[in-house]
């Protein structure tokens, strides 16, 4: 039997908040920039704008825009601001979703249903993805019964356009490029992909979940960024997360389409329900008004000036990280990261052993493989953390050098994955881990 029961008598508000504040002490310390992903913290004052707006709208439901004209205005304006940031013309349309994964799921669902209508001869639709795209593409393909065709990226970790072109078959419906891709933070050659997509009458989705709310500003700051958005001929949809570098509340993202002719394949309508005529624009049914309102609030609060300031801090901090890491002889940053997301590796020591030492020093670490490396997403909270991170990293490397064969914790696990031809054991390990997450203690 499950161990936790609903309390007989409800707890007082103040008691609950106290309990929750205490429990937060066991969490990753994101307020001090100890995380390498997951939270994009911009300080207590600005975060209060988000939480106040969220509180005001926590009970509202974006499913019915005619009942909440204020939410309708917020969503329209958030989408409109995003379209302008990503250089969409007057035909570009879009919606807010609960996150990058839902935005990507919607873009692929739209592509599938568009192809069913326009290319009915295709029975087993395929999408061509560089192997660095976010797992949300594999997940969506799995849900939607699309065949993902994975193509290895080139030595610089960018999509191999020629190989993607060669992967096109009569069943291909869409290609994908990332701006930038998560693992090494590099932007795929979107202009070249746009050309191939157009020549072959294919849709092209650009995943700007990470870059959508960062690249427009660093471009304005003078960084050299190749065209990555609707300026590129051939781009038909873009996903961009407000809850990453848009600094919005968790649960906010946008998906944008070249025109309404395409977007209409995103919708779901049902006329035969005894509960009435039903229409829903995205995957979720009820939609959190709090996330929509708080996204609108923070975008209006920061404004272009605020985003530029934060982008400047983040880019300068990133340079500090990268220069500091490259200055440690055993370590090397992979590729040429285009913004503030990067990874680093080692050719002489186990990078996963370094990760264990960093964990012990109170740093969140993100391990990745092919090649083995540690991943970092720099946020404004890291400005104050970067020096300590680098000095701890130096110590961690020295410790691993002193005891090189020791393989601890997850290091052993990752070491094993690459050598296993059959990944089913790893899949069941992950499955058991997911099971364990919802066991009450
Ligand atoms: C985070 C991310 C996603 C998925 O977004 P979620 O909000 O976690 O669902 C998709 N693409 C890229 C490049 C990402 O970094």
């Amino acid at each position: 039997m499950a161990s936790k029961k609903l309390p007989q008598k409800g707890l007082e508000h103040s008691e609950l908040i106290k309990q929750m504040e205490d429990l937060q002490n066991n969490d990753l310390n994101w307020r001090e920039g100890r995380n390498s992903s997951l939270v994009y913290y911009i300080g207590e004052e600005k975060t209060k704008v988000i939480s106040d707006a969220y509180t005001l709208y926590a009970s509202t439901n974006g499913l019915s825009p005619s009942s909440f004209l204020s939410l309708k205005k917020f969503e329209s304006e958030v989408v409109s601001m995003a379209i302008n940031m990503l250089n969409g013309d007057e035909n570009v349309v879009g919606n807010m979703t609960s996150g990058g994964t839902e935005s990507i799921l919607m873009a692929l669902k739209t592509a599938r249903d568009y192809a069913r209508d326009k290319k009915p001869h295709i029975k087993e639709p395929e999408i061509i993805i560089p192997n660095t795209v976010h797992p949300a593409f594999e997940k969506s393909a799995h849900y939607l019964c699309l065949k993902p065709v994975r193509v290895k990226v080139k030595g610089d970790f960018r999509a191999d356009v020629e190989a993607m072109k060669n992967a096109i078959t009569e069943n291909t419906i869409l290609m994908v490029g990332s701006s930038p891709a998560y693992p090494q933070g590099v932007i795929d050659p979107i202009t070249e992909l746009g050309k191939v997509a157009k020549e072959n009458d294919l849709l092209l989705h650009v995943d700007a979940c990470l870059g959508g709310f960062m690249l427009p500003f660093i471009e304005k700051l003078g960084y050299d960024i190749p065209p990555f958005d609707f300026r590129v001929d051939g781009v038909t949809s873009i996903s961009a997360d407000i809850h990453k570098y848009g600094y919005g509340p968790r649960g906010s993202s946008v998906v944008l389409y070249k025109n309404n002719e395409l977007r209409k394949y995103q919708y779901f309508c049902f006329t035969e329900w005894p509960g009435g005529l039903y229409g829903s624009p995205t995957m979720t049914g009820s939609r959190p008004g709090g996330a929509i309102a708080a996204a609108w609030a923070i975008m209006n609060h920061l404004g272009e000036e605020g985003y530029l300031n934060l982008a400047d801090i983040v880019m300068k901090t990133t340079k500090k990280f990268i220069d500091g890491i490259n200055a440690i002889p055993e370590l090397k940053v992979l590729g040429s990261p285009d913004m503030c997301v990067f990874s680093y590796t080692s050719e002489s020591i186990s990078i996963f052993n370094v990760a264990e030492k960093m964990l012990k020093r109170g740093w969140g670490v993100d391990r990745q493989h092919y090649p083995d490396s540690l991943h970092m997403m720099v946020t404004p909270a890291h400005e104050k953390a970067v020096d300590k991170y680098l000095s701890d990293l130096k110590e961690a490397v020295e410790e691993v050098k002193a005891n090189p064969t020791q393989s601890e914790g997850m290091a052993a696990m990752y070491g094993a994955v690459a050598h296993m031809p059959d990944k089913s054991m790893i899949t069941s390990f992950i499955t058991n881990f997911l099971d364990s997450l919802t066991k009450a203690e």
Side-chain angles (χ1 to χ4, degrees):
M1 199 173 74
S3 57
K4 167 86 179 171
K5 281 190 189 143
L6 195 64
Q8 192 64 40
K9 246 170 103 67
L11 298 178
E12 288 298 329
H13 180 179
S14 58
E15 165 58 21
L16 274 172
I17 298 297
K18 187 173 174 330
Q19 268 195 29
M20 290 162 88
E21 281 173 352
D22 288 347
L23 285 168
Q24 277 208 324
N25 293 330
N26 301 329
D27 290 350
L28 186 62
N29 188 354
W30 43 270
R31 286 190 180 86
E32 307 289 331
R34 288 275 168 166
N35 55 317
S36 54
S37 61
L38 302 170
V39 179
Y40 301 74
Y41 183 55
I42 48 175
E44 233 23 43
E45 211 177 308
K46 294 192 186 80
T47 300
K48 193 155 183 328
V49 174
I50 298 170
S51 53
D52 285 355
Y54 204 108
T55 304
L56 206 55
Y57 277 86
S59 304
T60 64
N61 192 337
L63 178 59
S64 173
S66 51
S67 307
F68 301 98
L69 291 177
S70 53
L71 286 180
K72 178 171 178 282
K73 171 184 161 72
F74 298 155
E75 180 172 6
S76 308
E77 291 190 4
V78 164
V79 168
S80 175
M81 288 187 275
I83 291 170
N84 280 314
M85 281 166 46
L86 297 170
N87 296 294
D89 63 20
E90 67 286 354
N91 295 317
V92 173
V93 292
N95 287 92
M96 285 187 72
T97 70
S98 62
T101 300
E102 190 187 348
S103 289
I104 289 163
L105 181 69
M106 288 299 94
L108 296 197
K109 188 263 187 214
T110 299
R112 186 195 66 178
D113 290 0
Y114 177 81
R116 277 181 181 167
D117 193 22
K118 304 284 182 193
K119 301 180 177 178
H121 61 279
I122 298 182
K123 300 296 176 227
E124 293 180 346
E126 297 173 8
I127 60 167
I128 301 176
I129 52 177
N131 64 334
T132 48
V133 293
H134 191 277
F137 288 92
E138 291 279 345
K139 185 179 182 179
S140 302
H142 176 69
Y143 286 180
L144 295 165
C145 296
L146 300 170
K147 181 177 166 197
V149 178
R150 295 167 67 81
V151 177
K152 270 214 174 81
V153 294
K154 292 173 96 158
D156 61 0
F157 304 105
R158 296 178 205 274
D160 185 338
V161 179
E162 202 51 38
M164 287 176 71
K165 186 176 168 183
N166 292 336
I168 297 173
T169 72
E170 58 194 18
N171 292 326
T172 308
I173 62 168
L174 166 133
M175 299 172 86
V176 179
S178 303
S179 295
Y182 173 98
Q184 289 83 24
V186 296
I187 302 174
D188 287 327
I190 304 297
T191 301
E192 291 74 8
L193 285 173
K195 198 159 167 275
V196 173
K198 220 166 166 190
E199 279 168 7
N200 291 277
D201 187 26
L202 300 174
L203 299 175
L204 174 63
H205 181 79
V206 170
D207 182 15
C209 277
L210 275 180
F213 281 74
M214 176 57 81
L215 295 173
F217 302 108
I218 62 176
E219 207 175 2
K220 284 210 164 102
L221 289 172
Y223 290 85
D224 190 19
I225 301 294
F228 64 92
D229 56 19
F230 281 117
R231 279 169 293 186
V232 176
D233 200 21
V235 172
T236 53
S237 57
I238 299 184
S239 46
D241 286 352
I242 308 169
H243 69 194
K244 285 181 182 154
Y245 289 103
Y247 305 112
R250 197 70 40 233
S252 54
S253 172
V254 290
V255 57
L256 307 177
Y257 297 94
K258 183 98 189 120
N259 54 47
N260 210 28
E261 150 83 337
L262 185 55
R263 198 241 322 239
K264 67 179 194 212
Y265 294 96
Q266 177 185 274
Y267 299 151
F268 177 79
C269 307
F270 189 59
T271 56
E272 302 310 303
W273 185 36
L277 296 176
Y278 187 87
S280 146
T282 56
M283 192 208 72
T284 56
S286 290
R287 304 165 80 219
I292 296 170
W296 181 86
I298 194 64
M299 287 173 74
N300 278 289
H301 181 65
L302 291 175
E304 177 154 314
E305 193 183 29
Y307 280 110
L308 284 170
N309 284 339
L310 290 169
D312 190 37
I313 291 172
V314 166
M315 290 304 284
K316 285 176 177 154
T317 306
T318 303
K319 184 166 174 10
K320 252 182 141 173
F321 268 110
I322 291 182
D323 290 349
I325 290 167
N326 282 333
I328 301 175
E330 289 78 13
L331 302 180
K332 183 183 81 178
V333 169
L334 289 166
S336 306
D338 285 306
M339 47 175 239
C340 50
V341 174
F342 65 89
S343 59
Y344 60 95
T345 189
S346 174
E347 277 160 17
S348 52
I349 56 174
S350 157
I351 198 71
F352 297 141
N353 282 352
V354 174
E356 295 300 319
K357 308 288 180 200
M358 288 300 275
L359 265 179
K360 286 201 178 118
R361 288 170 168 78
W363 296 98
V365 294
D366 287 313
R367 304 166 187 85
Q368 51 181 30
H369 51 182
Y370 315 126
D372 290 350
S373 48
L374 301 184
H375 188 261
M376 184 79 204
M377 315 232 232
V378 182
T379 71
H382 291 104
E383 188 186 19
K384 293 198 175 68
V386 57
D387 291 330
K388 178 72 178 145
Y389 183 95
L390 291 171
S391 63
D392 279 2
L393 188 59
K394 259 183 226 149
E395 278 180 29
V397 166
E398 288 309 315
E399 262 183 52
V400 173
K401 269 169 70 186
N403 196 352
T405 54
Q406 192 178 36
S407 185
E408 305 166 73
M410 286 294 286
M413 185 75 195
Y414 265 94
V417 178
H419 304 290
M420 274 185 198
D422 175 8
K423 311 288 182 195
S424 61
M425 255 178 70
I426 308 290
T427 301
S428 66
F429 170 84
I430 301 173
T431 304
N432 291 338
F433 172 74
L434 293 176
D435 277 348
S436 74
L437 295 179
T438 46
K439 267 192 201 120
E441 276 145 23

